[in-house]
Amino acid sequence: MTLLQDGSVLVAGGEQDNVKLQTAERYDPKTNSWSAAAMMGDGRSRHTATRLADGSVLVAGGRGGTMASMAERYIPDSDIWVDAGTEVETNTVRAATLLSDRTVLISGTRDGTALNAERYDPLTNSWTSAGAMAISRTLQTSTLLTDGTVMIVGGLDVAGNALANTERFDLGFGIAASRRPIVTPASSPLTPLIPWTVTGSQFVGDSEASNGQSNNSATNFPLVQLQRVDNDALVDLPTTDWSATTATAPTTCTLARGPYRETVITNGMASIAVIIRVGACDRIFSDGFELR
């Protein structure tokens, strides 16, 4: 199951009477009802389903037919499935994690024999190797940490024995810790519709973008990025005012309440994330009625 940006839930594939299902459905909690969604290109089960930063859903791996090695993306607004390239390795019961650079890390395999992890890049719609894992494993957990690394824990080895060891995947931006922005944990929750001010240090970096010469840098101002803890959905908050120690961004009621990882990115250098909480959106209309 995958939570979509509109609050509905996508359920795709599965298995019934040893038949891999090609069907997909969406559940709307507002109406407590189910509706059919477009069918996948092929039936599959035991696959991963990851919501990407643009709201689409990447379905990869699993057991299936001729397209088991092919990944697909579901576009909710159009209710269509599109090709998402061919994976480096065809495996089932893998773990998928959305990384801070918006790529997806896939690790593990059904029988614990494959060592290689891989990454999917939605910008190029392509797959690349992410190197060999320390130990082959399946049924492991894969969790994005606040420093941008991924913690992989447990699972089973090729003989079906439970694994007690762990390992971490480092995206490896190659940035010295002394150059990265530092975010101070917030003492109160973010309230949508009220401008959000992040405090810390080194929000103005040391590349040429910091002095206004931004020809070779992505931005000459800090970017605030939020990532939900429960489903890894990414939200960018464009800053309207900033200094070396603060960055202020407007917010809207599209931010769902709950915990988020908050990161400040300055001249392509990301801070270690801190956990913040987004509260309920309070909207008061001119007629005096209040919607919460």
Side-chain angles (χ1 to χ4, degrees), residues 94-194:
R94 310 186 78 185
T97 306
L98 181 65
L99 304 179
S100 56
D101 69 345
R102 307 191 178 206
T103 63
V104 178
L105 175 71
I106 303 285
S107 63
T109 179
R110 177 179 65 84
D111 56 11
T113 58
L115 273 171
N116 288 339
E118 53 191 302
R119 284 168 62 194
Y120 172 73
D121 187 342
L123 293 180
T124 60
N125 197 38
S126 62
W127 294 83
T128 56
S129 173
M133 300 175 65
I135 295 178
S136 295
R137 65 181 80 220
T138 185
L139 295 175
Q140 75 278 7
T141 63
S142 178
T143 305
L144 181 67
L145 304 183
T146 56
D147 65 355
T149 63
V150 176
M151 185 78 168
I152 296 175
V153 178
L156 305 177
D157 64 14
V158 65
N161 300 311
L163 294 169
N165 57 14
T166 66
E167 54 187 298
R168 289 170 70 178
F169 172 79
D170 190 347
L171 189 59
F173 288 113
I175 301 170
S178 60
R179 298 179 62 196
R180 299 175 69 171
I182 299 172
V183 178
T184 302
S187 58
S188 57
L190 181 157
T191 301
L193 293 183
I194 298 177

Side-chain angles (χ1 to χ4, degrees), residues 55 57 214:
V57 177
S214 56

Side-chain angles (χ1 to χ4, degrees), residues 27-41:
Y27 172 72
D28 187 344
K30 296 177 182 178
T31 60
N32 193 32
S33 61
W34 291 85
S35 60
M39 290 199 303
M40 295 189 294

Side-chain angles (χ1 to χ4, degrees), residues 3 12 43 57-58 79 105 110 150 185 227 253:
L3 180 66
V57 177
L58 173 71
D79 188 34
L105 175 71
R110 177 179 65 84
V150 176
Q227 184 172 23
C253 284

Side-chain angles (χ1 to χ4, degrees), residues 40 52 87 150 165 184 202 216 227 256 263 276:
M40 295 189 294
L52 306 180
E87 298 174 63
V150 176
N165 57 14
T184 302
Q202 298 181 185
N216 296 324
Q227 184 172 23
T263 303
I276 67 167

